[in-house]
Amino acid sequence: MQVRESLEREVETCLERQLPDVDLREVSLVGPEHSATLRVVIDHPDGVDHGICEQVTRALQSVGLNDHYGIEVWSPGPEPPLRTRDHFEQARGHRVALRVDDDGRRRSRAGVLESLTTEGVRLQTASGVIEVPFSAIRRARDRDGGHTC
């Protein structure tokens, strides 16, 4: 987990410095450790096209990330990832899907994002309102939002 968090901070810092209009949505490593691919999901106010993906790839290469990983840059697609508090704010009132760590067990939660608290999110689910702390969320998607390529 620490490798992913460190890598996420490195990518975030790189993009903030070189391409501040790019919104980092998700960072993941795909494949075996010795030949992993760094997959970066981004968004941009003008949309994500080949040119933006190329700029992001070059920015990541400029800080040496291609020395350790293959690099893939993706658009957010029809169900954009939710990574930051701002992303969750933008998804208020939308159907969301969460993968959470519940006492060491991975679980899925889905519902309408009702509100944010200082510690997490409140979801309206089929069985009622639940609160999920940000610290437990491992992955989140906005099922009602996003862009298509």
Side-chain angles (χ1 to χ4, degrees):
M1 186 63 82
Q2 285 191 5
V3 169
R4 187 191 63 77
E5 290 170 357
S6 173
L7 191 55
E8 186 174 303
R9 279 192 303 276
E10 187 174 359
V11 170
E12 187 172 46
T13 300
C14 171
L15 294 181
E16 284 174 352
R17 287 183 183 151
Q18 296 188 41
L19 299 166
D21 288 342
V22 170
D23 180 14
L24 179 61
R25 285 289 184 153
E26 186 173 60
V27 174
S28 58
L29 287 176
V30 180
E33 187 176 326
H34 66 280
S35 62
T37 297
L38 173 64
R39 182 174 295 158
V40 178
V41 179
I42 60 162
D43 205 352
H44 190 273
D46 297 330
V48 176
D49 60 15
H50 181 75
I52 294 292
C53 291
E54 186 176 344
Q55 288 176 36
V56 170
T57 300
R58 287 188 180 155
L60 299 175
Q61 289 171 337
S62 77
V63 296
L65 287 170
N66 62 316
D67 294 342
H68 305 287
Y69 309 103
I71 296 174
E72 293 180 352
V73 180
W74 290 25
S75 71
E79 294 185 2
L82 306 173
R83 187 179 69 85
T84 66
R85 185 173 185 87
D86 284 345
H87 295 158
F88 283 95
E89 281 287 350
Q90 293 166 10
R92 284 173 84 163
H94 293 196
R95 290 177 307 120
V96 298
L98 308 178
R99 184 166 301 154
V100 299
D101 186 358
D102 186 9
D103 293 326
R105 294 172 44 200
R106 297 269 167 127
R107 297 185 185 267
S108 295
R109 300 283 186 252
V112 174
L113 180 57
E114 184 179 272
S115 62
L116 279 73
T117 67
T118 56
E119 300 295 320
V121 297
R122 292 174 52 92
L123 293 182
Q124 177 66 50
T125 70
S127 58
V129 175
I130 62 169
E131 291 193 23
V132 180
F134 287 121
S135 62
I137 298 172
R138 298 294 166 249
R139 190 170 187 177
R141 297 254 181 228
D142 180 347
R143 291 200 165 158
D144 288 337
H147 308 280
T148 56
C149 292

